[in-house]
Amino acid sequence: MADEATAPITTAPVAIAASTGTSPTPISLRAPSKYPQGGSKVLTTSGEPFVAPPNEWIHGTWTVTHSTLSMWRSAQNVRITYTPHKRGPATSPSAAADGNSNGNASNPAVNDNLVEYEKKNGKGGVKTVLGTEKPDPNIPAAWNWRGKGWLMIASSHWEVLGWGGRPSSSGDGSVVRWAVTWFAPTLFTEEGVDIYSDRREGLDKETADIIIEALKRLEAPKLVELVEKKMSEVAISLPWKEGSK
């Protein structure tokens, strides 16, 4: 695995400023679809319509830097890797059901999803959770996840609430990409929010604080209460242990 996520920086309008390294994209979030807003358009905390990221923008490995999920309190180096789903032969029924592997913002693709994490005490190896997720047909930048193996009975729904890039605090001119995701409750977990960085070391404090403040401005009182009570940093201890791929 590379030191940073390998997904390319998008050239979509919302990310142009970040790609120059001179001006960060505004951090603006939408509320999850569970909390409907008035009007025909989904607006963000900046009052602008939500723009979904291109599917390839999410591909790569992301560090979970903050989360409301209690199970990550005893974990470290939590990361999630999204890759285009590997379809079966074109003649198989499953291939037709999987849809387009390439996808785009208006027609996102099926993804394979790999969650990896370690125990905070450093003992043991890398724990993994495997799943496959199909785009939700009714909600942009949203997927319906189902586990693989013994977790095949588990399913979930998750959405991108915001995404973008900001100049690295290292001053080297590079861009750190961030994303905020919301996930519906499952058999094993409660509803929650994660903050991602495409860097192993996570986000700088300023960026994380701005994202959390934006979450608190959402017109979704129950979600705001969840963030206020349960949003915490997820431990990062480099280097990561490497799991088998």
Side-chain angles (χ1 to χ4, degrees):
M1 186 184 299
D3 282 348
E4 300 171 6
T6 56
I9 296 293
T10 177
T11 55
V14 74
I16 287 176
S19 67
T20 67
T22 59
S23 177
T25 52
I27 290 178
S28 185
L29 308 177
R30 65 169 172 173
S33 60
K34 176 181 178 179
Y35 304 97
Q37 299 178 352
S40 58
K41 292 185 178 180
V42 176
L43 298 180
T44 64
T45 49
S46 65
E48 298 295 326
F50 175 75
V51 177
N55 197 66
E56 65 271 14
W57 192 89
I58 205 75
H59 289 160
T61 299
W62 296 84
T63 300
V64 179
T65 68
H66 297 70
S67 180
T68 62
L69 194 60
S70 58
M71 69 177 288
W72 296 143
R73 304 292 179 265
S74 60
Q76 66 182 23
N77 300 338
V78 180
R79 59 267 196 188
I80 304 178
T81 301
Y82 302 96
T83 54
H85 179 59
K86 296 179 180 179
R87 295 188 296 176
T91 54
S92 71
S94 62
D98 283 347
N100 180 8
S101 284
N102 294 322
N104 51 54
S106 60
N107 182 30
V110 178
N111 292 324
D112 286 326
N113 177 312
L114 170 65
V115 179
E116 299 173 282
Y117 62 97
E118 306 160 23
K119 290 185 178 180
K120 190 180 282 188
N121 60 17
K123 296 181 179 179
V126 177
K127 309 294 184 182
T128 61
V129 178
L130 293 167
T132 299
E133 50 203 22
K134 296 182 178 181
D136 190 291
N138 301 312
I139 306 169
W143 285 263
N144 296 315
W145 176 92
R146 181 165 294 280
K148 292 183 178 181
W150 67 273
L151 277 176
M152 200 169 200
I153 60 170
S155 61
S156 183
H157 170 87
W158 70 277
E159 304 174 9
V160 174
L161 303 187
W163 60 288
R166 292 175 66 83
S168 170
S169 58
S170 66
D172 61 2
S174 62
V175 172
V176 178
R177 295 185 301 141
W178 61 270
V180 179
T181 63
W182 169 83
F183 45 92
T186 71
L187 286 173
F188 307 104
T189 60
E190 59 190 353
E191 171 187 9
V193 177
D194 286 341
I195 300 175
Y196 294 175
S197 168
D198 71 345
R199 302 294 179 95
R200 290 192 175 202
E201 64 271 22
L203 294 172
D204 62 89
K205 186 178 184 304
E206 178 185 10
T207 299
D209 286 349
I210 294 173
I211 290 172
I212 292 171
E213 285 305 310
L215 282 165
K216 293 177 181 178
R217 295 199 307 271
L218 291 172
E219 295 183 7
K222 289 185 178 179
L223 187 69
V224 170
E225 182 180 10
L226 177 66
V227 170
E228 290 177 337
K229 289 184 175 180
K230 295 191 175 182
M231 181 63 77
S232 299
E233 287 189 60
V234 178
I236 297 174
S237 180
L238 301 179
W240 289 349
K241 293 180 180 179
E242 299 293 346
S244 58
K245 295 292 190 292

